[in-house]
Amino acid sequence: MAEFIPPGTRWVDLPSPFPIKRGGALHGARMAYETWGTLNAAHDNAILVLTGMSPDAHAASNTGNPAPGWWEWMIGPGKPIDTQRWFVLCVNALGSCKGSTGPASINPNTGASYRLDFPELSIEDGADAALAVVRELGIEQLACVLGNSMGGMTALSLLARHPGIARSHINICGAARALPFSIAIRSLQREAIRLDPHWNGGDYSEDHYPENGMRMARKLGVVTYRSALEWDGRFGRVRLDAEQREDDEPFGLEFEVESYLEAHARRFVRKYDPNCYLYLSRSMDWFDLGEAHGGDTLHGLSSIEGVHSALVIGVKTDILFPIQQQEEIAAGLRNAGCETRFLPMPSPQGHDAFLVDAARFGPAVTSFLRTLPATQIFTNRVA
Amino acid sequence: MAEFIPPGTRWVDLPSPFPIKRGGALHGARMAYETWGTLNAAHDNAILVLTGMSPDAHAASNTGNPAPGWWEWMIGPGKPIDTQRWFVLCVNALGSCKGSTGPASINPNTGASYRLDFPELSIEDGADAALAVVRELGIEQLACVLGNSMGGMTALSLLARHPGIARSHINICGAARALPFSIAIRSLQREAIRLDPHWNGGDYSEDHYPENGMRMARKLGVVTYRSALEWDGRFGRVRLDAEQREDDEPFGLEFEVESYLEAHARRFVRKYDPNCYLYLSRSMDWFDLGEAHGGDTLHGLSSIEGVHSALVIGVKTDILFPIQQQEEIAAGLRNAGCETRFLPMPSPQGHDAFLVDAARFGPAVTSFLRTLPATQIFTNRVA
């Protein structure tokens, strides 16, 4: 196991012990984060960005790390999330291997990596850990909490657990609960890792690493992050060149799309810890905002308090977090009295559209953030 | 390797040698088939059914085998394909392990199973082999050729290669070429099998069998044959009972949807030969009706001759053979001068809807077959 921490990462120590929803606690845990822009004197211009499962906190270039981030076109001066107005904070998810404490981190009680001794992680734990970073930076209320994919789950959990934490919310390709179809896909990914003899019950090394399992899991991920429509335009039926073919390998790669998947998987496999993958993947399966409401997800959403306006974006070609899930979020937030804009995007790129379809997602976010009132902390408390 | 042949199966010997499109030939090969109803004196009331990748020829119960078939509600007296009017013929695909010659069959040249010595199989070979059965039964022209899924590919190939072979055509969840998305999914399924050490380059036995690889391949198949929408209604977030759980297994099965997939996979794994799976899976990737037309699939479809009417059905929730592919088939057949009805079904069940959504597919097929003129052989030849 290993951690993969971008340069310029900063940390906040979590309260120790940090209680875990399903039992147990973390000791000496910390959260990795990066920021852009300046927190104003009133501390009321902060936007928190919660990520999908695999990204680190380096969403965009900054002084600590000038390399482009995974959302470079979204965050920066004059960009949709304009850092001339907003102070932007991105945290690496609790349980990840990209800076925040996770199964690949050292367990201070043993001096060795947690591996499967890491407590059972839930989305709710990630929300509480993100809150600790917000508080540590002196922010009482966020102007907006924005979550993508798994981060969309975390954002909803944060809003539900900590009423008043944010005045507005942007949910992109998120979900208020895991669907059985998504659970099935993630279960297969986890099974591919678990079946790899090198996984060895979580006790692998660099030399004996579950590379095949991780490759399969990642390939299946990439397939479900995209769409048939996009790939037809992109790859069609183009074959690999003779020298790229695996002619000696029976049933080896032959089409460009197969080689694309292989290249994607190879880039990922050694840069993401398999146990962290398993923990975060399962935390998504467990998530249901309706859990405290008899399994009524819509009721869970409707019970969110203190969010004045929201933008909910889904992608019609998304098979992993299908558009019905963002419709559900929008309906629930409206029930909660939140002024909600729902945008079903026709992007061909599937779930990953939010990472690549700048032409559609950029203006949507720009326009929503422009409607937010001048910085001002709302409160339900009687003065 | 083993073959799984239903009782009551009949056979037609293929011409020997039977040439294979990509090179080589089969010797002493045979095709398994079953029939329903009676071929009339004019031999002009025959409907050929071409199946998806895994079914056998036992589409419905008959005198040879009273057990229910995989399309029991579709074929029989008074059913949508009414065997009081039609003589129905279903062939098991060439390359399968359910009666027709395939990689699990004995190679007469060696006395041992073909395994990977089986020639590289194409959809076109399956079409030619099906034609041989039709001819052997004394049928000059089919009233209709109907293909589902892979069978929809085979049917188009048959129509393109043998002009005039059928007066009408029903294409259900089929495709005129493999999309890169579908190729990616099938490539992952094949990789899961190939990565299983027990696959052993195709040289496995009952005792050393690539069970894990086949389980993964089948689970991924079942996921892509269905849809998020259907599974939400069917499984929701229901957990397994305590005694069904794998609590001792880290990251073991927990949700009902996971156990459903596991049960499906277990039923399949030992009843389908892994090498046959690999060969048929790849044959679909290779299929493109536009191959002889510079890769212009629509042109390939438009060049089909002699089909007077067609019914093309797709399912809006199908991610493996998406609805655009059936739209393309319909557009191409119309270009070919064929009177074509296109039905995009709103079934929630995805690709597999044609197997289970009797309420939508039954009436569609009934109504199309009723419009077919009284039996009469059309011919383009000058008398």
Side-chain angles (χ1 to χ4, degrees), chain B residues 132-157:
Chain B
V133 182
V134 170
R135 291 284 182 251
E136 184 67 24
L137 297 190
I139 299 158
E140 192 197 338
Q141 186 179 63
L142 295 159
C144 184
V145 55
L146 181 160
N148 298 320
S149 188
M150 182 185 87
M153 294 176 159
T154 314
L156 291 172
S157 174

PDB file of all heavy atoms in Angstrom, chain B residues 132-157:
ATOM      1  N   ALA B 132     -27.779 -23.440 -44.187  1.00  0.00           N
ATOM      2  CA  ALA B 132     -27.658 -24.853 -44.533  1.00  0.00           C
ATOM      3  C   ALA B 132     -28.801 -25.665 -43.917  1.00  0.00           C
ATOM      4  O   ALA B 132     -29.329 -26.598 -44.539  1.00  0.00           O
ATOM      5  CB  ALA B 132     -26.302 -25.395 -44.074  1.00  0.00           C
ATOM      6  N   VAL B 133     -29.207 -25.290 -42.684  1.00  0.00           N
ATOM      7  CA  VAL B 133     -30.330 -25.997 -42.048  1.00  0.00           C
ATOM      8  C   VAL B 133     -31.626 -25.721 -42.817  1.00  0.00           C
ATOM      9  O   VAL B 133     -32.406 -26.629 -43.103  1.00  0.00           O
ATOM     10  CB  VAL B 133     -30.486 -25.571 -40.569  1.00  0.00           C
ATOM     11  CG1 VAL B 133     -31.621 -26.358 -39.909  1.00  0.00           C
ATOM     12  CG2 VAL B 133     -29.178 -25.773 -39.809  1.00  0.00           C
ATOM     13  N   VAL B 134     -31.831 -24.451 -43.141  1.00  0.00           N
ATOM     14  CA  VAL B 134     -33.035 -24.062 -43.890  1.00  0.00           C
ATOM     15  C   VAL B 134     -33.134 -24.862 -45.190  1.00  0.00           C
ATOM     16  O   VAL B 134     -34.179 -25.448 -45.508  1.00  0.00           O
ATOM     17  CB  VAL B 134     -32.990 -22.541 -44.183  1.00  0.00           C
ATOM     18  CG1 VAL B 134     -34.095 -22.129 -45.154  1.00  0.00           C
ATOM     19  CG2 VAL B 134     -33.104 -21.748 -42.873  1.00  0.00           C
ATOM     20  N   ARG B 135     -32.057 -24.927 -45.912  1.00  0.00           N
ATOM     21  CA  ARG B 135     -32.039 -25.654 -47.198  1.00  0.00           C
ATOM     22  C   ARG B 135     -32.269 -27.141 -47.005  1.00  0.00           C
ATOM     23  O   ARG B 135     -33.018 -27.782 -47.748  1.00  0.00           O
ATOM     24  CB  ARG B 135     -30.691 -25.432 -47.896  1.00  0.00           C
ATOM     25  CG  ARG B 135     -30.469 -24.019 -48.390  1.00  0.00           C
ATOM     26  CD  ARG B 135     -31.277 -23.750 -49.665  1.00  0.00           C
ATOM     27  NE  ARG B 135     -31.014 -22.399 -50.166  1.00  0.00           N
ATOM     28  CZ  ARG B 135     -31.895 -21.408 -50.109  1.00  0.00           C
ATOM     29  NH1 ARG B 135     -33.104 -21.603 -49.589  1.00  0.00           N
ATOM     30  NH2 ARG B 135     -31.587 -20.222 -50.594  1.00  0.00           N
ATOM     31  N   GLU B 136     -31.646 -27.701 -45.982  1.00  0.00           N
ATOM     32  CA  GLU B 136     -31.761 -29.129 -45.717  1.00  0.00           C
ATOM     33  C   GLU B 136     -33.212 -29.521 -45.410  1.00  0.00           C
ATOM     34  O   GLU B 136     -33.650 -30.630 -45.724  1.00  0.00           O
ATOM     35  CB  GLU B 136     -30.848 -29.510 -44.549  1.00  0.00           C
ATOM     36  CG  GLU B 136     -30.778 -30.984 -44.219  1.00  0.00           C
ATOM     37  CD  GLU B 136     -30.118 -31.829 -45.307  1.00  0.00           C
ATOM     38  OE1 GLU B 136     -29.328 -31.252 -46.092  1.00  0.00           O
ATOM     39  OE2 GLU B 136     -30.397 -33.045 -45.376  1.00  0.00           O
ATOM     40  N   LEU B 137     -33.957 -28.574 -44.825  1.00  0.00           N
ATOM     41  CA  LEU B 137     -35.364 -28.853 -44.514  1.00  0.00           C
ATOM     42  C   LEU B 137     -36.261 -28.602 -45.725  1.00  0.00           C
ATOM     43  O   LEU B 137     -37.487 -28.663 -45.612  1.00  0.00           O
ATOM     44  CB  LEU B 137     -35.827 -28.015 -43.319  1.00  0.00           C
ATOM     45  CG  LEU B 137     -35.112 -28.280 -41.988  1.00  0.00           C
ATOM     46  CD1 LEU B 137     -35.812 -27.567 -40.836  1.00  0.00           C
ATOM     47  CD2 LEU B 137     -35.038 -29.779 -41.677  1.00  0.00           C
ATOM     48  N   GLY B 138     -35.659 -28.300 -46.862  1.00  0.00           N
ATOM     49  CA  GLY B 138     -36.435 -28.158 -48.088  1.00  0.00           C
ATOM     50  C   GLY B 138     -37.114 -26.808 -48.231  1.00  0.00           C
ATOM     51  O   GLY B 138     -38.129 -26.682 -48.920  1.00  0.00           O
ATOM     52  N   ILE B 139     -36.563 -25.799 -47.553  1.00  0.00           N
ATOM     53  CA  ILE B 139     -37.181 -24.467 -47.607  1.00  0.00           C
ATOM     54  C   ILE B 139     -36.376 -23.586 -48.551  1.00  0.00           C
ATOM     55  O   ILE B 139     -35.172 -23.366 -48.339  1.00  0.00           O
ATOM     56  CB  ILE B 139     -37.231 -23.846 -46.198  1.00  0.00           C
ATOM     57  CG1 ILE B 139     -38.080 -24.734 -45.281  1.00  0.00           C
ATOM     58  CG2 ILE B 139     -37.763 -22.419 -46.240  1.00  0.00           C
ATOM     59  CD1 ILE B 139     -37.799 -24.544 -43.806  1.00  0.00           C
ATOM     60  N   GLU B 140     -37.048 -23.078 -49.599  1.00  0.00           N
ATOM     61  CA  GLU B 140     -36.357 -22.216 -50.561  1.00  0.00           C
ATOM     62  C   GLU B 140     -36.328 -20.787 -50.059  1.00  0.00           C
ATOM     63  O   GLU B 140     -35.332 -20.078 -50.179  1.00  0.00           O
ATOM     64  CB  GLU B 140     -37.060 -22.279 -51.913  1.00  0.00           C
ATOM     65  CG  GLU B 140     -36.235 -21.647 -53.032  1.00  0.00           C
ATOM     66  CD  GLU B 140     -37.085 -21.338 -54.263  1.00  0.00           C
ATOM     67  OE1 GLU B 140     -38.158 -21.969 -54.431  1.00  0.00           O
ATOM     68  OE2 GLU B 140     -36.670 -20.464 -55.054  1.00  0.00           O
ATOM     69  N   GLN B 141     -37.460 -20.362 -49.491  1.00  0.00           N
ATOM     70  CA  GLN B 141     -37.573 -18.986 -49.005  1.00  0.00           C
ATOM     71  C   GLN B 141     -38.353 -18.971 -47.692  1.00  0.00           C
ATOM     72  O   GLN B 141     -39.427 -19.566 -47.584  1.00  0.00           O
ATOM     73  CB  GLN B 141     -38.298 -18.122 -50.038  1.00  0.00           C
ATOM     74  CG  GLN B 141     -38.331 -16.654 -49.673  1.00  0.00           C
ATOM     75  CD  GLN B 141     -39.045 -15.831 -50.737  1.00  0.00           C
ATOM     76  OE1 GLN B 141     -40.236 -16.025 -50.984  1.00  0.00           O
ATOM     77  NE2 GLN B 141     -38.316 -14.936 -51.369  1.00  0.00           N
ATOM     78  N   LEU B 142     -37.791 -18.278 -46.730  1.00  0.00           N
ATOM     79  CA  LEU B 142     -38.456 -18.145 -45.431  1.00  0.00           C
ATOM     80  C   LEU B 142     -39.551 -17.090 -45.509  1.00  0.00           C
ATOM     81  O   LEU B 142     -39.388 -16.061 -46.184  1.00  0.00           O
ATOM     82  CB  LEU B 142     -37.439 -17.724 -44.371  1.00  0.00           C
ATOM     83  CG  LEU B 142     -36.331 -18.732 -44.048  1.00  0.00           C
ATOM     84  CD1 LEU B 142     -35.140 -18.019 -43.395  1.00  0.00           C
ATOM     85  CD2 LEU B 142     -36.870 -19.840 -43.135  1.00  0.00           C
ATOM     86  N   ALA B 143     -40.648 -17.335 -44.812  1.00  0.00           N
ATOM     87  CA  ALA B 143     -41.653 -16.278 -44.677  1.00  0.00           C
ATOM     88  C   ALA B 143     -41.064 -15.128 -43.861  1.00  0.00           C
ATOM     89  O   ALA B 143     -41.337 -13.958 -44.112  1.00  0.00           O
ATOM     90  CB  ALA B 143     -42.904 -16.832 -43.995  1.00  0.00           C
ATOM     91  N   CYS B 144     -40.237 -15.492 -42.882  1.00  0.00           N
ATOM     92  CA  CYS B 144     -39.655 -14.469 -42.009  1.00  0.00           C
ATOM     93  C   CYS B 144     -38.392 -15.020 -41.357  1.00  0.00           C
ATOM     94  O   CYS B 144     -38.333 -16.196 -40.999  1.00  0.00           O
ATOM     95  CB  CYS B 144     -40.673 -14.087 -40.918  1.00  0.00           C
ATOM     96  SG  CYS B 144     -40.127 -12.751 -39.834  1.00  0.00           S
ATOM     97  N   VAL B 145     -37.387 -14.157 -41.206  1.00  0.00           N
ATOM     98  CA  VAL B 145     -36.266 -14.507 -40.346  1.00  0.00           C
ATOM     99  C   VAL B 145     -36.289 -13.533 -39.176  1.00  0.00           C
ATOM    100  O   VAL B 145     -36.363 -12.318 -39.364  1.00  0.00           O
ATOM    101  CB  VAL B 145     -34.907 -14.510 -41.082  1.00  0.00           C
ATOM    102  CG1 VAL B 145     -34.623 -13.198 -41.788  1.00  0.00           C
ATOM    103  CG2 VAL B 145     -33.776 -14.812 -40.099  1.00  0.00           C
ATOM    104  N   LEU B 146     -36.272 -14.105 -37.979  1.00  0.00           N
ATOM    105  CA  LEU B 146     -36.353 -13.306 -36.761  1.00  0.00           C
ATOM    106  C   LEU B 146     -35.068 -13.509 -35.968  1.00  0.00           C
ATOM    107  O   LEU B 146     -34.649 -14.647 -35.735  1.00  0.00           O
ATOM    108  CB  LEU B 146     -37.560 -13.763 -35.943  1.00  0.00           C
ATOM    109  CG  LEU B 146     -37.868 -13.042 -34.626  1.00  0.00           C
ATOM    110  CD1 LEU B 146     -39.322 -13.273 -34.234  1.00  0.00           C
ATOM    111  CD2 LEU B 146     -36.963 -13.459 -33.489  1.00  0.00           C
ATOM    112  N   GLY B 147     -34.432 -12.424 -35.555  1.00  0.00           N
ATOM    113  CA  GLY B 147     -33.220 -12.545 -34.739  1.00  0.00           C
ATOM    114  C   GLY B 147     -33.262 -11.615 -33.546  1.00  0.00           C
ATOM    115  O   GLY B 147     -33.684 -10.470 -33.652  1.00  0.00           O
ATOM    116  N   ASN B 148     -32.831 -12.157 -32.401  1.00  0.00           N
ATOM    117  CA  ASN B 148     -32.719 -11.389 -31.155  1.00  0.00           C
ATOM    118  C   ASN B 148     -31.262 -11.166 -30.841  1.00  0.00           C
ATOM    119  O   ASN B 148     -30.469 -12.105 -30.887  1.00  0.00           O
ATOM    120  CB  ASN B 148     -33.222 -12.222 -29.969  1.00  0.00           C
ATOM    121  CG  ASN B 148     -34.668 -12.603 -30.082  1.00  0.00           C
ATOM    122  OD1 ASN B 148     -35.471 -11.808 -30.509  1.00  0.00           O
ATOM    123  ND2 ASN B 148     -34.985 -13.841 -29.699  1.00  0.00           N
ATOM    124  N   SER B 149     -30.891  -9.965 -30.407  1.00  0.00           N
ATOM    125  CA  SER B 149     -29.547  -9.732 -29.873  1.00  0.00           C
ATOM    126  C   SER B 149     -28.495 -10.198 -30.896  1.00  0.00           C
ATOM    127  O   SER B 149     -28.554  -9.776 -32.050  1.00  0.00           O
ATOM    128  CB  SER B 149     -29.420 -10.450 -28.521  1.00  0.00           C
ATOM    129  OG  SER B 149     -28.224 -10.116 -27.892  1.00  0.00           O
ATOM    130  N   MET B 150     -27.599 -11.089 -30.527  1.00  0.00           N
ATOM    131  CA  MET B 150     -26.633 -11.610 -31.500  1.00  0.00           C
ATOM    132  C   MET B 150     -27.357 -12.189 -32.707  1.00  0.00           C
ATOM    133  O   MET B 150     -26.908 -12.055 -33.850  1.00  0.00           O
ATOM    134  CB  MET B 150     -25.745 -12.687 -30.864  1.00  0.00           C
ATOM    135  CG  MET B 150     -24.690 -13.238 -31.804  1.00  0.00           C
ATOM    136  SD  MET B 150     -23.729 -14.612 -31.084  1.00  0.00           S
ATOM    137  CE  MET B 150     -24.780 -16.015 -31.510  1.00  0.00           C
ATOM    138  N   GLY B 151     -28.499 -12.821 -32.480  1.00  0.00           N
ATOM    139  CA  GLY B 151     -29.291 -13.370 -33.573  1.00  0.00           C
ATOM    140  C   GLY B 151     -29.774 -12.290 -34.538  1.00  0.00           C
ATOM    141  O   GLY B 151     -30.000 -12.567 -35.727  1.00  0.00           O
ATOM    142  N   GLY B 152     -29.933 -11.065 -34.039  1.00  0.00           N
ATOM    143  CA  GLY B 152     -30.292  -9.945 -34.907  1.00  0.00           C
ATOM    144  C   GLY B 152     -29.156  -9.605 -35.868  1.00  0.00           C
ATOM    145  O   GLY B 152     -29.387  -9.222 -37.023  1.00  0.00           O
ATOM    146  N   MET B 153     -27.924  -9.772 -35.374  1.00  0.00           N
ATOM    147  CA  MET B 153     -26.762  -9.608 -36.253  1.00  0.00           C
ATOM    148  C   MET B 153     -26.743 -10.723 -37.301  1.00  0.00           C
ATOM    149  O   MET B 153     -26.554 -10.485 -38.499  1.00  0.00           O
ATOM    150  CB  MET B 153     -25.462  -9.676 -35.437  1.00  0.00           C
ATOM    151  CG  MET B 153     -25.234  -8.544 -34.449  1.00  0.00           C
ATOM    152  SD  MET B 153     -23.705  -8.848 -33.484  1.00  0.00           S
ATOM    153  CE  MET B 153     -23.308  -7.184 -32.924  1.00  0.00           C
ATOM    154  N   THR B 154     -26.938 -11.953 -36.830  1.00  0.00           N
ATOM    155  CA  THR B 154     -26.888 -13.109 -37.722  1.00  0.00           C
ATOM    156  C   THR B 154     -27.963 -12.998 -38.804  1.00  0.00           C
ATOM    157  O   THR B 154     -27.716 -13.307 -39.979  1.00  0.00           O
ATOM    158  CB  THR B 154     -27.077 -14.414 -36.914  1.00  0.00           C
ATOM    159  OG1 THR B 154     -26.239 -14.366 -35.757  1.00  0.00           O
ATOM    160  CG2 THR B 154     -26.721 -15.626 -37.736  1.00  0.00           C
ATOM    161  N   ALA B 155     -29.151 -12.541 -38.409  1.00  0.00           N
ATOM    162  CA  ALA B 155     -30.248 -12.412 -39.371  1.00  0.00           C
ATOM    163  C   ALA B 155     -29.890 -11.397 -40.460  1.00  0.00           C
ATOM    164  O   ALA B 155     -30.118 -11.639 -41.653  1.00  0.00           O
ATOM    165  CB  ALA B 155     -31.524 -11.996 -38.641  1.00  0.00           C
ATOM    166  N   LEU B 156     -29.328 -10.258 -40.056  1.00  0.00           N
ATOM    167  CA  LEU B 156     -28.948  -9.246 -41.056  1.00  0.00           C
ATOM    168  C   LEU B 156     -27.885  -9.797 -41.992  1.00  0.00           C
ATOM    169  O   LEU B 156     -27.902  -9.555 -43.207  1.00  0.00           O
ATOM    170  CB  LEU B 156     -28.448  -7.967 -40.365  1.00  0.00           C
ATOM    171  CG  LEU B 156     -29.519  -7.164 -39.612  1.00  0.00           C
ATOM    172  CD1 LEU B 156     -28.876  -6.042 -38.806  1.00  0.00           C
ATOM    173  CD2 LEU B 156     -30.573  -6.611 -40.577  1.00  0.00           C
ATOM    174  N   SER B 157     -26.953 -10.545 -41.419  1.00  0.00           N
ATOM    175  CA  SER B 157     -25.904 -11.136 -42.247  1.00  0.00           C
ATOM    176  C   SER B 157     -26.501 -12.130 -43.244  1.00  0.00           C
ATOM    177  O   SER B 157     -26.137 -12.148 -44.431  1.00  0.00           O
ATOM    178  CB  SER B 157     -24.894 -11.838 -41.335  1.00  0.00           C
ATOM    179  OG  SER B 157     -23.949 -12.531 -42.093  1.00  0.00           O
TER     180      SER B 157
END
